[in-house]
Amino acid sequence: MDTAEIRRRFLAHFEAAGHAVVPSASLLADDPNLLFVNAGMVPFKPYFLGQETPQWDRATSVQKCIRTPDIEDVGKTTRHGTFFEMCGNFSFGDYFKEGAIELAWTLITKPVDEGGFGLEVDRLYPSVLVGDDEAISLWMKVTGLPEERIVQLGNKENYWSMGVPGPGGPCSEILYDRGPDFGPDFDPTTLGPDMPVELEDRLLEIWNLVFMQDELSAVRSKSDFDISGSLPRKNIDTGMGLDRVALLLQGKQNMYEIDVMYGVIAKAEEMTGKTYGADAGDDVRFRVIADHVRSSMMLIGDGVTPGNDGRGYVLRRLLRRAVRSMRLLGCEDRVLPELMPVSRDVMGQTYDNLLTDWPRISQVAFAEEDAFRKTLQSGTQIFDTAAAEVKQTGGTTLSGERAFALHDTYGFPIDLTLEMAAEAGLTVDEQGFRGLMAEQRERAKADARAKKGAHGDTAVYRGILDEHGPTEWLAYETLETESRPLAVLSGGAATQRLAEGEIGELVLDRTPFYAESGGQVADAGEIVFDGGRLEVIDVQRPIKGLVVHQVRVLEGELDAGREVHARVDPEWRIGARQAHSGTHVVHAALREVLGPTALQSGSYNRPGYLRLDFGWTQGLSPQQVRDIEQVSQQALRADLAVSWDYMTLDQAKEWGAIALFGETYDNTKVRVVEIGGPWSRELCGGTHVDHSSQIGTVVVTGETSVGSGNRRIEALTGVEGFAYLARERDVVAQLTGVLKTQPDDLVGRVQGLTERLKVAEKELEKARLAQLLGASAELAARAEQVGPVKVVAHRADGAGGGDVRNLAMDVRGRLPQGEAGVVVIIGSADGRVSVVAATNDEARARGLSAGELVRAVGPLLGGKGGGKDDVAQGGGSDASRIDEALALVTSEVARVAG
Ligand code: ATP
Ligand code: MG
């Protein structure tokens, strides 16, 4: 039964029993404590916690899950995926233990032709929490099984909680005995309270039923908690592993071989020339590849992009492990463009975003592989040298410094170093490495503090505010003020003076400077005083009411007691006003073109530039982008009046003003900025132009994705916008000059040229191949006689992997029939060495193997390779010993068959 059918039957079974069918939520949990959704119940948490009331009493779902802690088990056990799907049924204060047991048991034991899974009753073992007599008798009643068949397990297996005070309860797992091939015999009556590890693959856990009945007041560990009472409403939460049931119903050895996963293994076999099932170590790699390719694709599909921490790091690690595992199987080519589409084609039948969003998904994945290949290229040699040095000196540990250098200089993540070290039989001083990492982090933090001023410590600012009251803030009224310093800080502490060249912070009684907020950057400008001048580097409001200028003393010495003159750079400010008003215009235009659901999720603007992030799942079409730009330009031309007013939040809402994500407003008075009356109304504290025409121009320069359901529009305003267009005009002028054509004909002309180039390249390629293969007759004729074997060992400088293979196959075909023949061609192109060996039947009958020959010469070429007996391929990076490698081929042939 294929996975799709199991999914369908599961949902149909529970739907028929009155459950609402709820679609899978995204893998990205809407929960600060979880990196990813790791169980079917996660999207229902607010209902179980009583924070929200569900619309239904019963629900069912098949939820996408990611479990990163299981990554080490992947491929080693038969049953752990980093990605898998969990089928679940949920009762919110409706049916309880008996209902849950009955529903589960009916589905798994009902015959296949009646819509069930038809699992053999004799192989099924329900488990309960030790002493849960109620569950034992219910299992006996529902299933008719004798008590001996019901296994009692301890808290570790069969007590569920969220790890925090709140709901908890005993579980019942349903175990399936896969027979003696998967573990030793056992006696169910003496099993427990822990499940022995050696039985976990044999007694496969397929379903877990959680009976949420207790109120927990403290949870210290999985098996140490306090039950303070019972829940007023008892709930059911269950999880059945779709992939695990599929492996049983499809008669497979493990979950990586089921219909939606095996294709990747098959493809990997084809690419590596290795056979799945031939070697236990290789098999783990094949399974890791199948798992990781799928998991990373699903993660990218839900908006994760590779990064160095959090979700992004999990994705990076999965992608890299997949690529590395392919290398360890002997394939050094780009692998994801071949492997991932295989997974997409099967998973896409359920999750069609994989098909519709494929251009983005594939781009993210392939770019990461390319980046990783570069990392490997530069770092592997350094690693190898370091490892060799350690071994030479008789050591077994790679030092923390080495691991750190690999990380710091070559971007080698520590897990990669750990993995490669383990393969080389070494350990790594991980603690030393972590120590160095921590030091580096401290240094970075100190740097950041020095740059930004000591905003970390708000107590100092609180003191200033208490003493002097709030800063009189005049950014809306004026660009210059006479002001009195209230406090001068150096390195976060109060001081009397700042000397020339020093950086410090300055708090004034009144200021015209705009402090960074609402997406608008801080004003730039100067603060002058008798005998000196300060540059304003940054302006922040570290606590409400207090404006702090970060300044550098350009001339003279700042004395805390002296009057100063604060002056915002007027050019800067007009640029900032244009950009901020431009942001509102683009936002309104966006909503006009895309509809009111397109809502800003963040923004940033500085003189000349703006960007606006908004919630939207698809990329915009070029036409939509043009429309947004045009609506914006029309708004500028219409010279709409810009005005602002203070009002209560309720009034603002009534007015239809848009309050933006993440900003907090006083509930007494808010500022609403409007452009063209109701056309654009937003809650905003920024500085704006008076009329929209003053924005000058709005030129949209880009539209991109910024992860999970967010897009970003970027635009240039004012003079910057004009400058951008002028640059483009210059490029067009240069191109028309070079191509001697008119602007309107440019595109056609360039298209024509690239077409012709393609044709010419193809011709060239044909000619090159003909020339290469032309040599093959001569090579075959000149074959050397080594004992009974005809040997062609040839070097083909300038030939890459594909050519080398073609040539080798062609020469083999031209060797005399009926005589043993061996061909080995070693080519080198672009710093890569490629070797292909081919044998004929007679040579193989004499014990000559292409795979062995490639393996033998691999180390000389600074690489590896291998493959089957008839044809094998490998590569390396060292071209200096090709002749030696060819000589080795001849002597190997002589040794084996001579
Ligand atoms: P195990 O002990 O085998 O790791 P678990 O106790 O972690 O399983 P639960 O948290 O109870 O599993 O999850 C419910 C069901 O989800 C399990 O019964 C199993 O069928 C499935 N499941 C759990 N983890 C995985 C995984 N990593 N890959 C595939 N299926 C899984
Ligand atoms: Mg587990």
Side-chain angles (χ1 to χ4, degrees):
M1 191 182 303
D2 63 22
T3 307
E5 179 61 14
I6 301 172
R7 178 200 319 274
R8 203 193 57 70
R9 287 185 181 205
F10 185 93
L11 293 175
H13 174 70
F14 284 100
E15 191 175 23
H19 293 66
V21 177
V22 179
S24 173
S26 154
L27 282 168
L28 309 190
D30 187 13
D31 180 335
N33 300 314
L34 278 179
L35 218 45
F36 298 111
V37 170
N38 60 4
M41 62 82 66
V42 173
F44 301 107
K45 250 188 184 177
Y47 307 140
F48 290 128
L49 291 171
Q51 293 162 341
E52 282 174 39
T53 316
Q55 307 150 252
W56 354 262
D57 295 334
R58 309 173 167 202
T60 181
S61 69
V62 179
Q63 173 65 43
K64 302 184 256 190
C65 295
I66 290 275
R67 287 199 179 175
T68 41
D70 287 347
I71 191 167
E72 298 300 339
D73 286 332
V74 171
K76 295 180 188 153
T77 73
T78 60
R79 59 188 206 284
H80 286 106
T82 49
F83 172 89
F84 64 99
E85 292 166 281
M86 197 187 285
C87 306
N89 57 292
F90 309 93
S91 152
F92 310 105
D94 189 17
Y95 61 82
F96 198 50
K97 285 187 195 181
E98 182 168 2
I101 292 172
E102 205 172 313
L103 283 163
W105 188 257
T106 314
L107 176 62
I108 55 177
T109 57
K110 203 192 310 179
V112 170
D113 52 18
E114 289 168 30
F117 297 151
L119 293 179
E120 256 175 83
V121 171
D122 282 351
R123 288 181 175 263
L124 291 168
Y125 291 82
S127 79
V128 299
L129 179 66
V130 180
D132 187 355
D133 294 336
E134 187 193 2
I136 298 179
S137 49
L138 286 173
W139 274 110
M140 290 168 59
K141 177 176 158 200
V142 172
T143 65
L145 290 174
E147 186 166 356
E148 305 85 76
R149 282 284 295 283
I150 297 163
V151 181
Q152 300 198 32
L153 299 174
N155 283 336
K156 193 167 141 287
E157 304 291 342
N158 274 348
Y159 194 90
W160 174 90
S161 79
M162 293 192 197
V164 290
C171 314
S172 261
E173 293 170 340
I174 302 178
L175 311 172
Y176 181 93
D177 179 11
R178 304 174 71 196
D181 288 351
F182 294 92
D185 287 339
F186 62 94
D187 172 0
T189 56
T190 57
L191 212 59
D194 289 329
M195 173 63 84
V197 186
E198 65 278 11
L199 271 178
E200 286 185 331
D201 267 341
R202 171 166 181 171
L203 271 178
L204 182 71
E205 175 194 334
I206 54 170
W207 204 334
N208 190 0
L209 316 179
V210 180
F211 310 129
M212 245 181 254
Q213 61 183 37
D214 302 328
E215 180 80 52
L216 305 181
S217 58
V219 180
R220 288 170 295 273
S221 76
K222 261 198 89 82
S223 47
D224 182 16
F225 45 83
D226 301 330
I227 299 177
S228 55
S230 23
L231 288 175
R233 279 160 56 96
K234 301 192 190 340
N235 301 316
I236 288 294
D237 151 32
T238 86
M240 182 194 90
L242 179 62
D243 312 69
R244 291 193 186 172
V245 171
L247 92 85
L248 293 181
L249 297 188
Q250 294 172 17
K252 301 296 181 199
Q253 297 285 312
N254 56 58
M255 68 171 275
Y256 321 97
E257 293 172 14
I258 64 175
D259 56 342
V260 291
M261 296 196 73
Y262 187 72
V264 173
I265 294 186
K267 187 80 198 174
E269 279 187 290
E270 196 183 295
M271 293 170 69
T272 57
K274 292 248 164 84
T275 314
Y276 179 64
D279 174 274
D282 284 351
D283 288 352
V284 172
R285 290 180 187 128
F286 275 115
R287 297 194 283 256
V288 164
I289 292 162
D291 175 82
H292 288 12
V293 165
R294 178 168 81 147
S295 304
S296 44
M297 175 181 72
M298 298 306 295
L299 283 174
I300 302 173
D302 278 358
V304 182
T305 47
N308 283 333
D309 46 31
R311 291 170 174 156
Y313 187 65
V314 171
L315 171 60
R316 172 159 283 169
R317 186 156 175 228
L318 289 169
L319 283 170
R320 291 183 162 192
R321 276 187 104 205
V323 171
R324 284 246 320 136
S325 301
M326 282 296 283
R327 290 201 162 216
L328 293 172
L329 289 175
C331 178
E332 302 208 341
D333 299 332
R334 290 174 89 206
V335 298
L336 296 178
E338 302 277 324
L339 295 173
M340 207 173 262
V342 176
S343 190
R344 171 202 62 196
D345 290 346
V346 274
M347 295 307 290
Q349 289 164 18
T350 307
Y351 302 102
D352 64 1
N353 70 307
L354 299 174
L355 306 176
T356 53
D357 205 13
W358 179 247
R360 181 188 67 81
I361 296 170
S362 55
Q363 199 224 332
V364 170
F366 301 169
E368 177 67 9
E369 175 170 18
D370 289 344
F372 183 49
R373 286 164 63 84
K374 287 211 188 89
T375 303
L376 277 177
Q377 212 170 18
S378 51
T380 305
Q381 257 184 9
I382 309 286
F383 175 87
D384 289 344
T385 319
E389 265 175 39
V390 172
K391 285 186 180 165
Q392 247 159 35
T393 55
T396 55
T397 308
L398 198 71
S399 71
E401 283 85 20
R402 289 281 199 175
F404 180 73
L406 275 164
H407 172 89
D408 206 36
T409 319
Y410 300 98
F412 254 49
I414 183 70
D415 328 300
L416 183 58
T417 307
L418 288 172
E419 264 179 45
M420 289 176 64
E423 281 156 26
L426 297 175
T427 55
V428 178
D429 173 13
E430 231 184 301
Q431 212 169 352
F433 168 82
R434 306 241 174 251
L436 290 167
M437 285 294 285
E439 273 175 36
Q440 190 196 38
R441 251 195 312 276
E442 277 312 308
R443 274 198 304 276
K445 260 199 227 153
D447 277 3
R449 265 200 300 273
K451 278 198 199 100
K452 266 270 171 193
H455 285 316
D457 185 11
T458 52
V460 180
Y461 303 119
R462 182 105 7 240
I464 300 171
L465 185 69
D466 286 347
E467 193 180 336
H468 301 285
T471 311
E472 191 183 342
W473 191 58
L474 301 168
Y476 298 146
E477 282 106 71
T478 177
L479 293 178
E480 301 190 29
T481 57
E482 299 302 328
S483 307
R484 200 163 52 83
L486 299 178
V488 178
L489 304 177
S490 173
T495 177
Q496 278 308 302
R497 35 187 59 79
L498 283 179
E500 193 165 308
E502 248 188 296
I503 292 182
E505 289 166 275
L506 176 60
V507 178
L508 301 172
D509 61 342
R510 56 215 303 251
T511 182
F513 279 87
Y514 184 82
E516 177 180 346
S517 70
Q520 183 178 334
V521 292
D523 273 336
E526 281 192 341
I527 295 175
V528 296
F529 51 90
D530 198 10
R533 207 151 61 85
L534 314 173
E535 173 194 5
V536 176
I537 305 170
D538 192 13
V539 189
Q540 296 287 333
R541 219 182 317 216
I543 56 174
K544 203 163 178 263
L546 197 73
V547 177
V548 179
H549 310 78
Q550 194 189 29
V551 296
R552 178 189 290 117
V553 184
L554 297 178
E555 274 169 41
E557 188 181 80
L558 174 69
D559 175 346
R562 224 161 13 168
E563 294 278 303
V564 300
H565 183 82
R567 186 160 63 202
V568 175
D569 177 349
E571 287 293 317
W572 176 279
R573 174 64 79 75
I574 179 70
R577 292 164 66 198
Q578 288 173 325
H580 202 151
S581 299
T583 311
H584 288 211
V585 166
V586 171
H587 191 200
L590 189 75
R591 292 160 59 79
E592 199 169 312
V593 173
L594 301 179
T597 51
L599 206 55
Q600 180 175 326
S601 57
S603 72
Y604 168 82
N605 54 82
R606 60 171 146 77
Y609 169 86
L610 68 91
R611 69 166 183 249
L612 188 136
D613 296 346
F614 59 102
W616 201 250
T617 46
Q618 304 116 27
L620 304 190
S621 69
Q623 186 58 48
Q624 285 172 317
V625 174
R626 265 198 301 277
D627 288 348
I628 290 166
E629 191 178 58
Q630 193 167 14
V631 172
S632 304
Q633 293 289 10
Q634 273 160 2
L636 265 52
R637 248 190 333 262
D639 199 19
L640 306 172
V642 182
S643 61
W644 50 88
D645 211 344
Y646 292 91
M647 58 187 75
T648 64
L649 192 55
D650 288 339
Q651 271 172 316
K653 278 187 193 148
E654 223 164 90
W655 256 38
I658 304 168
L660 298 176
F661 172 82
E663 299 186 19
T664 49
Y665 295 96
D666 231 270
N667 53 8
T668 45
K669 279 284 178 67
V670 294
R671 184 171 183 259
V672 175
V673 175
E674 55 170 34
I675 301 180
W679 187 66
S680 161
R681 279 183 179 145
E682 296 194 17
L683 264 61
C684 175
T687 60
H688 287 271
V689 296
D690 304 315
H691 285 268
S692 61
S693 62
Q694 290 171 329
I695 297 169
T697 185
V698 171
V699 179
V700 176
T701 56
E703 191 276 328
T704 48
S705 160
V706 278
S708 60
N710 272 297
R711 310 287 308 177
R712 166 172 296 173
I713 250 192
E714 289 174 285
L716 299 175
T717 50
V719 181
E720 296 280 342
F722 288 111
Y724 177 86
L725 294 176
R727 276 196 302 278
E728 298 235 305
R729 190 184 53 193
D730 271 357
V731 172
V732 171
Q734 284 175 33
L735 283 176
T736 49
V738 173
L739 297 172
K740 305 212 171 6
T741 181
Q742 293 305 307
D744 285 344
D745 301 331
L746 255 185
V747 172
R749 189 59 175 272
V750 172
Q751 265 167 356
L753 282 174
T754 36
E755 278 307 312
R756 274 166 55 196
L757 197 65
K758 251 192 234 149
V759 172
E761 274 170 353
K762 266 203 199 118
E763 288 294 318
L764 205 64
E765 175 65 23
K766 252 197 248 156
R768 215 173 44 78
L769 204 62
Q771 195 187 24
L772 190 76
L773 295 183
S776 69
E778 200 195 322
L779 283 178
R782 282 201 335 233
E784 188 183 347
Q785 193 72 43
V786 180
V789 187
K790 286 250 187 276
V791 177
V792 176
H794 174 67
R795 96 179 259 168
D797 291 340
D803 287 344
V804 171
R805 195 179 173 92
N806 285 334
L807 184 59
M809 303 311 286
D810 201 56
V811 174
R812 183 178 68 175
R814 290 172 191 265
L815 288 176
Q817 297 281 319
E819 249 181 274
V822 169
V823 181
V824 176
I825 311 278
I826 305 183
S828 61
D830 304 327
R832 291 278 314 149
V833 179
S834 315
V835 51
V836 173
T839 57
N840 63 12
D841 292 342
E842 293 79 4
R844 287 194 294 281
R846 292 183 177 275
L848 287 163
S849 151
E852 292 301 329
L853 287 171
V854 169
R855 251 188 296 283
V857 299
L860 286 178
L861 305 174
K864 17 182 156 162
K868 303 197 173 148
D869 289 344
D870 55 344
V871 181
Q873 188 156 4
S877 51
D878 185 0
S880 68
R881 298 173 75 183
I882 292 180
D883 292 333
E884 217 176 304
L886 291 169
L888 178 65
V889 168
T890 316
S891 61
E892 272 298 297
V893 173
R895 186 178 66 77
V896 176

